[in-house]
Amino acid sequence: MVKWLYRLFIELTNHPLTSKCLASFTRSKWSRLVIPSYAKLYKVNEEEMEKKLHEYETLQQLFVRTLKEGLRPVDAHPDSVVSPVDAVIEDVGIITDQKEIIVKGKTYSIREMLGDDRIAEKYLHGTFIILYLSPSHYHRIHSPICGEVVKQWELGNKSYPVNRLGLKYGKAPLSKNYRRITELCTNGMYTAIVKVGAMFVNSIELTHEHDYVKKGEEIGYFSFGSTVVLLFEKDAFTLDEQIVPPFEVKMGQRIGFLTQKKKSQ
């Protein structure tokens, strides 16, 4: 019964009124009472947390927790791409001629996801990676590569679930939900980091405002479990062979390499 209630209110809720009430509760002092049961139910790794469980004053503080220093080493190879989050890689594939990706048998429009047909055009025949964060995961988001921040923008105003059931049966959450997008450029290659909100409009907070990011540098966090979509241009990215979805990854872990593509003149 307890697990069912958590799934209803934490993972699957998308009604605006319920979402607002839940958001208010998770930031209240009363939410502290459910922290032990939440941590136990979702098997939160307490050994990794910067603070002890009893030191978190609200459930929201637990969601956005930081980790002990040094626990997530970032792959040092200059051309490597690392996971931006602790997550499960749910799917990897090629973006089609129609600017679409197919995830869990469902078709999503990259043009709609990015909100710009011109930007979507760059990623035709490129690679997409879907990374799903469960309620147990560390919710901070980091840059998968070093690069210049070309553009950052936000879209959407819905909050459909983006867990495994949401990806398969939901109303196109990857291209409909509230999302904040960061586009980076490295050696003429573009990479889009699409941060998809699972619940509550504005549940994605940005923590980086500079024009350049280093690989592994924090760029934001989710207030609740959600999804990150990485988009790479054609022939710009090679996935590590051992990654076969579903595949658990940690932030900073290598997931592939960028190619040595020079910027066209």
Side-chain angles (χ1 to χ4, degrees):
M1 175 63 74
V2 173
K3 186 173 183 179
W4 181 84
L5 287 173
Y6 273 123
R7 284 184 60 82
L8 177 63
F9 289 109
I10 302 297
E11 295 182 86
L12 299 178
T13 301
N14 66 313
H15 190 279
L17 179 59
T18 309
S19 293
K20 288 179 181 178
C21 291
L22 182 55
S24 178
F25 171 73
T26 60
R27 292 176 172 85
S28 74
K29 63 180 181 179
W30 301 107
S31 67
R32 187 174 188 174
L33 299 174
V34 305
I35 287 177
S37 62
Y38 182 92
K40 181 178 180 180
L41 178 63
Y42 287 111
K43 298 180 174 61
V44 174
N45 190 337
E46 298 179 39
E47 296 299 318
E48 293 188 332
M49 301 187 312
E50 189 176 44
K51 298 179 180 179
K52 299 294 185 182
L53 195 63
H54 69 270
E55 294 182 272
Y56 294 98
E57 298 181 356
T58 67
L59 191 57
Q60 202 266 346
Q61 287 184 11
L62 179 65
F63 289 144
V64 301
R65 65 189 177 274
T66 53
L67 303 180
K68 293 176 181 176
E69 189 174 352
L71 280 181
R72 295 291 185 271
V74 177
D75 187 86
H77 193 287
D79 297 324
S80 68
V81 177
V82 302
S83 177
V85 287
D86 284 9
V88 174
I89 294 180
E90 285 290 342
D91 219 335
V92 179
I94 302 299
I95 300 164
T96 70
D97 283 323
Q98 289 73 40
K99 302 176 189 151
E100 295 173 338
I101 63 176
I102 300 175
V103 183
K104 304 294 181 185
K106 191 163 191 172
T107 301
Y108 292 90
S109 165
I110 291 297
R111 184 204 60 76
E112 190 173 15
M113 181 186 295
L114 299 176
D116 189 309
D117 196 60
R118 180 182 56 83
I119 294 176
E121 192 78 25
K122 289 186 287 192
Y123 298 101
L124 285 180
H125 308 294
T127 302
F128 72 85
I129 301 177
I130 310 294
L131 298 110
Y132 165 67
L133 289 77
S134 75
S136 66
H137 281 126
Y138 164 66
H139 283 35
R140 299 272 167 170
I141 311 163
H142 301 251
S143 180
I145 57 175
C146 295
E148 175 190 356
V149 179
V150 178
K151 184 178 180 181
Q152 294 200 90
W153 67 104
E154 56 186 336
L155 296 165
N157 56 10
K158 298 293 184 182
S159 300
Y160 297 111
V162 287
N163 56 13
R164 291 177 180 86
L165 291 177
L167 288 174
K168 189 171 183 179
Y169 300 112
K171 298 179 180 179
L174 298 183
S175 55
K176 298 287 189 183
N177 277 25
Y178 174 76
R179 52 208 180 277
R180 301 189 84 154
I181 304 156
T182 302
E183 189 173 47
L184 304 178
C185 184
T186 304
N187 297 327
M189 297 175 290
Y190 289 90
T191 300
I193 308 167
V194 185
K195 301 166 285 292
V196 185
M199 298 175 64
F200 318 138
V201 173
N202 298 325
S203 64
I204 307 163
E205 302 294 338
L206 299 184
T207 58
H208 186 280
E209 297 179 351
H210 303 296
D211 295 332
Y212 186 87
V213 293
K214 297 179 181 178
K215 182 167 53 180
E217 187 174 2
E218 184 183 304
I219 59 175
Y221 62 82
F222 289 114
S223 294
F224 293 88
S226 195
T227 294
V228 172
V229 182
L230 297 180
L231 305 176
F232 301 93
E233 290 183 280
K234 180 183 178 183
D235 300 327
F237 172 78
T238 302
L239 185 73
D240 269 9
E241 292 183 358
Q242 76 270 19
I243 295 180
V244 179
F247 190 89
E248 182 91 27
V249 289
K250 301 292 187 184
M251 193 288 293
Q253 179 180 338
R254 190 184 74 218
I255 58 176
F257 289 96
L258 291 177
T259 61
Q260 293 297 320
K261 177 183 175 184
K262 293 183 180 181
K263 190 171 183 178
S264 59
Q265 301 298 319

